[in-house]
Amino acid sequence: MPGNRHTSVRSRQIANELRRYREKAGLSCTEAGAKLGVSGSKISRIETGVSGLQIEDVAALLGLYHVPAVERHTLVELAKSADQKGWWERQTGLPHNWKNLMEFEAKASRIQNFETTFVPGLLQTPEYCRAIIQGIDATLTEEELDQLVAARMARQIVLSRSRAPQFLAVMDETVLRRPIGGSGVMKRQLQHLLNVAGASNVNLLVVPVSAGAYVGLHGAFLVLEFDEEPDIVYVGNHYTELFLEEDQDLASYRLALRNILHAALASGATGDLIRNIAAEH
């Protein structure tokens, strides 16, 4: 069967690349498995083709091995036919609020995210993500940290799947200037933002500090829209999370988002600002 043969060749290609990246990272199958909370034999089965490829495994491993974004995207695209629904439910050790948000993101047709503190999770590089998670909770072990970073990288596949949601990411300029992880980490994160901004389903905007006081200073939030379910607003922080469904809540946050967009730079000016800040590193 031509289709099955094509799938087999593609799976072997992905498996070979995963093994190559693992070896380049200097990890054994056992070590890689330990960092993701799975057995070394599972990593070996993935690499030899004995175990079928699943999109979350591919994305998590690529994140663990710090594979560059462009190469990571290419391999994820190759693995796109694998089932990805509900992968977060099989992932051990994830915070409960992460699982809830991932479930909604996987179903959304449109995601609108405003951030005042850090780059949206869907647009973070592995090293930037690691610096944030480690800075927020210094008690995490290396294994726990690796697992959380890999999960967030796997979460990003939502933006590159065949029916990807439209994603509007709006950030305060201070997000781009906060030195998370050091100068090199920030420069690469800023370059990544410029790269992903070229995707047809991603719109990236920045509110400049020159805007002064504006409604966005109230804090970060996400508006998630669905084709067949009621829309919701997600608001979360270190202590709590809220999923708001009431019409008045949705109307309030949509009004806030419109006001934030009014204060934001246009796409071209946003790109110029990001390039200028990156040049400072």
Side-chain angles (χ1 to χ4, degrees):
M1 296 285 291
N4 290 338
R5 186 160 60 245
H6 173 74
T7 299
S8 177
V9 170
R10 181 179 59 188
S11 296
R12 270 202 310 276
Q13 178 184 357
I14 296 170
N16 289 338
E17 287 298 291
L18 289 175
R19 182 178 67 253
R20 183 174 70 84
Y21 282 123
R22 175 182 58 76
E23 293 172 347
K24 185 177 180 180
L27 297 172
S28 66
C29 288
T30 300
E31 291 169 334
K35 289 179 178 296
L36 295 182
V38 301
S39 67
S41 60
K42 176 177 180 177
I43 304 299
S44 178
R45 289 196 301 271
I46 290 173
E47 292 181 357
T48 57
V50 174
S51 176
L53 290 173
Q54 295 191 21
I55 193 73
E56 70 273 14
D57 292 331
V58 174
L61 287 168
L62 294 174
L64 174 64
Y65 303 151
H66 302 290
V67 177
V70 173
E71 297 172 44
R72 192 166 71 240
H73 175 74
T74 299
L75 282 181
V76 167
E77 284 294 310
L78 287 175
K80 209 51 99 43
S81 61
D83 174 38
Q84 56 181 291
K85 184 177 180 180
W87 67 265
W88 51 88
E89 294 298 341
R90 302 192 297 273
Q91 192 85 2
T92 60
L94 290 185
H96 184 65
N97 62 327
W98 281 35
K99 291 187 176 183
N100 288 337
L101 181 56
M102 289 172 181
E103 179 176 1
F104 285 120
E105 286 178 338
K107 297 177 181 179
S109 58
R110 187 182 186 196
I111 302 172
Q112 300 174 96
N113 188 185
F114 172 67
E115 292 289 350
T116 60
T117 308
F118 44 70
V119 170
L122 291 177
L123 301 181
Q124 293 174 6
T125 62
E127 56 184 353
Y128 179 92
C129 172
R130 187 182 188 88
I132 287 177
I133 295 175
Q134 190 171 39
I136 290 175
D137 188 355
T139 67
L140 291 170
T141 65
E142 284 298 309
E143 289 75 15
E144 290 170 332
L145 187 58
D146 287 334
Q147 186 177 22
L148 290 174
V149 172
R152 182 162 290 176
M153 294 304 101
R155 171 188 165 200
Q156 294 179 0
I157 63 175
V158 72
L159 293 182
S160 59
R161 68 190 188 197
S162 57
R163 297 184 62 186
Q166 291 296 312
F167 183 49
L168 170 65
V170 189
M171 290 173 282
D172 191 278
E173 181 182 343
T174 55
V175 169
L176 308 178
R177 296 190 177 279
R178 181 170 289 107
I180 302 294
S183 181
V185 171
M186 282 305 303
K187 187 178 183 68
R188 289 184 288 275
Q189 174 64 73
L190 292 169
Q191 185 57 55
H192 178 62
L193 290 178
L194 292 171
N195 292 338
V196 297
S200 60
N201 63 314
V202 176
N203 187 15
L204 177 61
L205 302 175
V206 171
V207 178
V209 293
S210 60
Y214 68 109
V215 68
L217 298 182
H218 274 303
F221 60 91
L222 287 92
V223 179
L224 299 109
E225 300 178 358
F226 308 89
D227 289 335
E228 300 178 357
E229 299 178 22
D231 300 339
I232 61 172
V233 171
Y234 170 81
V235 182
N237 57 40
H238 180 72
Y239 300 102
T240 188
E241 63 169 7
L242 297 172
F243 289 97
L244 308 173
E245 301 178 80
E246 297 296 328
D247 289 342
Q248 62 184 31
D249 291 324
L250 286 164
S252 176
Y253 277 94
R254 284 187 170 124
L255 175 59
L257 182 60
R258 286 197 296 271
N259 289 331
I260 290 169
L261 291 175
H262 183 71
L265 297 171
S267 296
T270 287
D272 290 340
L273 177 60
I274 295 175
R275 277 186 286 271
N276 290 338
I277 296 175
E280 297 172 6
H281 291 277

